[in-house]
Amino acid sequence: SWSLELHAKRVDYQRYGVREYVVVLPATREIVWFDLAAGRQHTLPADRVIRSQAFPGLWIDVDAVLAQDGARGLT
């Protein structure tokens, strides 16, 4: 399923104008963040908090999401 998420869906979303795409890969405890508008993959910042450019104010705490800590995961 990760192959579909990281490739085919990403291409489709980019084609239809989605600006950002975040994929959670629980099996490998990873989160992959794409800037589809620029056609590139972001590297996670040192503090491991994704700050959405498409939705200012939406921050995703990568470690909290991977730990399934919903109260802390989205701010």
Side-chain angles (χ1 to χ4, degrees):
S1 166
W2 66 266
S3 180
L4 178 64
E5 298 292 336
L6 295 176
H7 301 288
K9 281 188 180 181
R10 180 180 50 83
V11 170
D12 284 344
Y13 291 160
Q14 188 170 19
R15 180 181 318 132
Y16 293 108
V18 173
R19 297 185 333 208
E20 286 182 312
Y21 181 44
V22 176
V23 180
V24 178
L25 304 167
T28 57
R29 298 192 44 78
E30 295 178 81
I31 291 183
V32 183
W33 177 25
F34 294 100
D35 178 347
L36 298 180
R40 65 184 180 89
Q41 180 178 334
H42 283 288
T43 55
L44 293 178
D47 65 0
R48 297 181 52 82
V49 175
I50 294 172
R51 291 168 181 85
S52 176
Q53 296 169 353
F55 299 100
L58 173 63
W59 292 12
I60 302 170
D61 182 322
V62 170
D63 295 323
V65 169
L66 294 174
Q68 297 180 359
D69 183 347
R72 198 183 81 186
L74 298 176
T75 58

